[in-house]
């Protein structure tokens, strides 16, 4: 659904939907950092030194409660289809999309940044146009990356 996508200046900033097959709208030129990542507010606790620690080292610690953002695994997305308008996938765009099994890249993709697919443990095979620059660790644990000339590429 169109409401599931937060897009600014052609960059997909955030996907908020729950679909298992995500079709990114045409006109998007880049997938932003952590666009498909799920972040939750988590309550944390830590021990703080008592105010009089310098004078009374045998006093008990007090516990302080605070909230923090934590990246959690995205279990919804199994397949993503990118249009030909997408030129770049930014760092950690699909970070911890643990259920992702398939990504269809558009034929005009030029760059896949560092750790773009980090934590995508079910993604095993990707077909990439041969002109695309792939940064180090862009594909974590992917056993097969197929490079295909643009003329022959059918995403």
């Amino acid at each position: 659904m169109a409401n599931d996508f937060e897009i600014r200046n052609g960059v997909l900033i955030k996907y908020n939907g729950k679909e298992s097959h995500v079709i990114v709208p045409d006109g998007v030129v880049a997938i932003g950092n952590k666009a498909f990542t799920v972040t939750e507010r988590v309550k944390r606790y830590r021990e703080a030194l008592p105010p009089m620690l310098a004078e009374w080292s045998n006093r008990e610690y007090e516990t302080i409660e605070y909230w923090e953002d934590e990246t959690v695994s995205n279990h919804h997305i199994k397949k993503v289809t990118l249009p030909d308008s997408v030129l770049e996938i930014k760092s950690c765009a699909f970070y911890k999309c643990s259920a992702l099994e398939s990504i269809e890249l558009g034929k005009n993709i030029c760059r896949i940044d560092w750790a773009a697919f980090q934590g995508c443990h079910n993604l095993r095979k990707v077909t990439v146009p041969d002109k695309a620059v792939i940064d180090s660790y862009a594909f974590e644990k992917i056993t097969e990356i197929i490079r295909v000339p643009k003329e022959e590429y059918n995403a």
Side-chain angles (χ1 to χ4, degrees), residues 18-19 21 24 32 41-42 53 89 107 112 118 122 136:
K18 301 285 186 200
E19 299 295 322
H21 180 191
V24 174
R41 297 289 287 164
V42 178
L53 182 65
I89 300 173
K107 66 181 176 187
I112 302 172
Q118 184 178 12
N122 287 311
S136 299

Side-chain angles (χ1 to χ4, degrees), residues 58-97:
N58 62 349
R59 292 191 50 180
E60 291 182 22
Y61 291 92
E62 64 179 296
T63 302
I64 295 175
E65 177 183 297
Y66 65 100
W67 290 89
E68 184 175 84
D69 287 338
E70 180 177 297
T71 301
V72 296
S73 189
N74 186 329
H75 299 291
H76 303 289
I77 302 171
K78 292 188 177 198
K79 181 178 182 177
V80 175
T81 302
L82 301 180
D84 290 342
S85 60
V86 173
L87 304 174
E88 181 177 12
I89 300 173
K90 303 275 189 179
S91 297
C92 301
F94 294 91
Y95 181 65
K96 287 192 175 181
C97 287

